[in-house]
Amino acid sequence: MPLRSLRFTSAAVVLSAAASVLIAHQPAHAAADRIRLGNASDVSRSTWNGPAFTMNGAGGIVTASMARAVDDIRGGTGTLDVVVLAGSAPTSGSKTPECDTITGLTGVNSCTTWTLTAASDGNNSQVNTDVRNAEFVYFAGGDQCRYAAWKGTALEASVESVVAKGGGSGGGSAGHHINSPIVYDACNGSVTSAEALANPYDRYVSFTTGMFEWANYGSVINDSHFVTRDRMGRTMSFLARAVKDGLAPGGAAWGVGVEEGGGSLFLDRNGMATQYGKDAYVVLADHQPEQAVDRKPLTYSGFKIWRLTPGSTFDFKNRPTCGYYLRSVTNGVADPNLYSGTPVTDCGSQGGGSTLAESEPNDTRDTADDATALPSPGTLTGSMQSTGDRDHFRLTLSSGRTVSVNCAVPSAYDADLYWLDTNGSTLIRSVNDGAGTDESLSFTRTASGTGTYYLDMEAYSGSGTASYSCTVTKS
């Protein structure tokens, strides 16, 4: 959610007089405020059945997905405790809009709202005690930059402990953003799609990484209010940046944009997502952008987009390789009809869309990754994890054909590129000097028949986890 936006302020659910609800309102210190609804004592139980996650397009609770999360975590029996974390108080209405809804769900023992307005509140002992004793943590809407400020505090570890014991996490709007491993943090201000496409390095485009990294949800950037505020374009720009800057391991970045008005993506313990309420979109950038530099418009061909309608599923553990539609951006102008398209069914023939990520060990020809089935054009990705790292990929080339290899190398290291024959002799090489300097080569097979070759990417100086990306084209 942008800095200038307000926290969700829907009317509170009215609890009947017959419900046994305890309301305890006690400021912990000047910057932190605590309100607890429900039972005063936490549930004590040794095992839970999660994790489960809810990713909402707006700040409020989506009853259907939240009820499913509660049921999955408790295994259909007993009760659990929930903590809502907010970076600011509502401007009108109830002070606990999320907990008002949550406490009406079957299986909820208590719901505690903490309003934390300072980064140092992440180390508040009572906040962390409440979170660690809970089984689900919900981040309210508001300003995700305030949540990103809790990175490295005790609160980050406390939330992670809830998920680790089989509980869950979720959020809406800003709370949706903070639950992805690559967070568009909006710490410099909000960016529109037009602004982000015109310059992917706009000052309003900033990220926080290394905070919450949930299982099966790697390399994802979340976005909210997706269709209503026309955020497909900026998500495309975010993904191109993530690939270009090495923020996503393996050279591929995924966007998850959820619509407001009741949209919620539920993710179960096995990585299977189910969409509730309104549509969501999964967007994949799986190759280096044709152009993503400061003060120049984005050019990127072939974003893959899956549209998730209510009731549909998406397997984040075993992510699909088909069923998407394709959209591109050229000089900052996106294709029309970004939010609908005819799904591709013949996915193997789509240019630029097939990627093979290295798998260690592959330091020798004998342990080379098999790229013989890679379509043309295709992409090879990896990283120089040590100063002596070598990544080998095995390819074949038939008589009269030419292979061209163009590698984008991140600024973390200097790597050189070699084309080897089946015996390991170097046939051609590209050894440009300097960290972050790209490498390219081409080779034509003049002999008869089909030959086996090896592409060898070698660290020359430096190392790091940032990914290189090599586009391989045969003609």
Side-chain angles (χ1 to χ4, degrees):
M1 192 72 174
L3 284 171
R4 55 178 174 262
S5 60
L6 299 176
R7 184 177 162 204
F8 175 77
T9 57
S10 70
V13 173
V14 178
L15 302 178
S16 68
S20 175
V21 179
L22 174 68
I23 302 180
H25 184 187
Q26 53 186 92
H29 60 75
D33 187 73
R34 179 183 189 263
I35 304 176
R36 184 180 179 104
L37 305 183
N39 291 325
S41 299
D42 291 319
V43 172
S44 178
R45 177 169 151 177
S46 59
T47 60
W48 300 93
N49 292 352
F53 306 90
T54 61
M55 310 288 188
N56 297 352
I61 299 297
V62 176
T63 302
S65 63
M66 189 68 202
R68 181 172 173 186
V70 170
D71 284 345
D72 276 18
I73 292 167
R74 67 189 184 93
T77 61
T79 60
L80 53 70
D81 299 292
V82 178
V83 169
V84 173
L85 298 175
S88 60
T91 56
S92 63
S94 172
K95 292 184 178 180
T96 59
E98 298 84 10
C99 280
D100 292 343
T101 299
I102 291 170
T103 51
L105 300 177
T106 300
V108 174
N109 176 67
S110 73
C111 185
T112 303
T113 298
W114 274 101
T115 303
L116 310 175
T117 58
S120 59
D121 290 333
N123 291 315
N124 179 294
S125 60
Q126 189 175 4
V127 172
N128 282 282
T129 296
D130 279 348
V131 170
R132 286 182 177 272
N133 288 340
E135 286 71 54
F136 195 92
V137 180
Y138 187 88
F139 291 81
D143 173 10
Q144 63 263 33
C145 186
R146 293 192 178 188
Y147 298 151
W150 298 336
K151 177 182 176 180
T153 67
L155 185 53
E156 178 188 351
S158 294
V159 174
E160 291 167 346
S161 75
V162 173
V163 173
K165 72 180 179 182
S169 178
S173 192
H176 172 52
H177 285 266
I178 201 64
N179 272 283
S180 59
I182 307 169
V183 179
Y184 164 62
D185 57 35
C187 287
N188 297 324
S190 181
V191 69
T192 66
S193 285
E195 291 166 340
L197 291 172
N199 179 11
Y201 288 83
D202 187 288
R203 66 179 299 270
Y204 292 141
V205 181
S206 58
F207 303 103
T208 294
T209 59
M211 197 169 175
F212 299 131
E213 299 188 10
W214 307 133
N216 304 313
Y217 207 62
S219 300
V220 171
I221 304 175
N222 284 346
D223 209 346
S224 58
H225 305 277
F226 201 63
V227 180
T228 298
R229 300 187 187 180
D230 190 22
R231 288 178 165 173
M232 180 70 81
R234 78 176 198 177
T235 290
M236 289 172 161
S237 185
F238 296 165
L239 298 177
R241 273 281 305 272
V243 173
K244 179 68 179 293
D245 296 348
L247 302 180
W254 300 73
V256 174
V258 182
E259 173 61 333
E260 62 181 55
S264 179
L265 186 81
F266 172 83
L267 187 68
D268 72 15
R269 62 186 293 176
N270 298 313
M272 183 62 72
T274 303
Q275 185 60 26
Y276 287 85
K278 292 292 183 69
D279 292 352
Y281 293 81
V282 178
V283 187
L284 170 61
D286 60 4
H287 62 84
Q288 286 287 327
E290 286 80 358
Q291 177 172 281
V293 295
D294 191 17
R295 296 182 176 86
K296 289 188 178 181
L298 175 68
T299 295
Y300 189 104
S301 60
F303 286 101
K304 297 176 179 177
I305 305 172
W306 289 261
R307 180 181 180 181
L308 307 184
T309 56
S312 61
T313 61
F314 189 93
D315 190 346
F316 278 94
K317 183 176 182 179
N318 302 292
R319 300 184 189 187
T321 57
C322 210
Y324 52 81
Y325 61 94
L326 294 168
R327 292 293 182 267
S328 298
V329 177
T330 305
N331 290 324
V333 178
D335 288 344
N337 301 319
L338 292 180
Y339 298 97
S340 62
T342 302
V344 171
T345 55
D346 184 18
C347 301
S349 64
Q350 296 303 310
S354 296
T355 300
L356 175 64
E358 65 146 328
S359 58
E360 296 286 356
N362 60 351
D363 291 347
T364 67
R365 287 178 290 117
D366 289 339
T367 58
D369 289 303
D370 186 1
T372 56
L374 188 74
S376 175
T379 304
L380 303 174
T381 65
S383 61
M384 297 286 96
Q385 300 179 19
S386 69
T387 55
D389 197 5
R390 299 177 65 177
D391 294 343
H392 287 77
F393 299 89
R394 183 170 62 255
L395 301 101
T396 57
L397 192 65
S398 57
S399 179
R401 301 203 69 187
T402 298
V403 62
S404 299
V405 184
N406 296 281
C407 298
V409 180
S411 59
Y413 46 79
D414 182 356
D416 294 330
L417 185 65
Y418 297 84
W419 184 258
L420 312 178
D421 66 15
T422 189
N423 297 315
S425 299
T426 299
L427 300 177
I428 193 167
R429 64 183 181 176
S430 176
V431 290
N432 298 320
D433 289 334
T437 303
D438 296 344
E439 305 288 352
S440 62
L441 57 79
S442 63
F443 173 81
T444 301
R445 178 174 171 83
T446 57
S448 61
T450 298
T452 298
Y453 300 91
Y454 296 89
L455 193 66
D456 174 18
M457 180 70 91
E458 296 188 12
Y460 179 76
S461 64
S463 62
T465 58
S467 296
Y468 62 79
S469 178
C470 298
T471 300
V472 179
T473 305
K474 296 178 181 179
S475 58

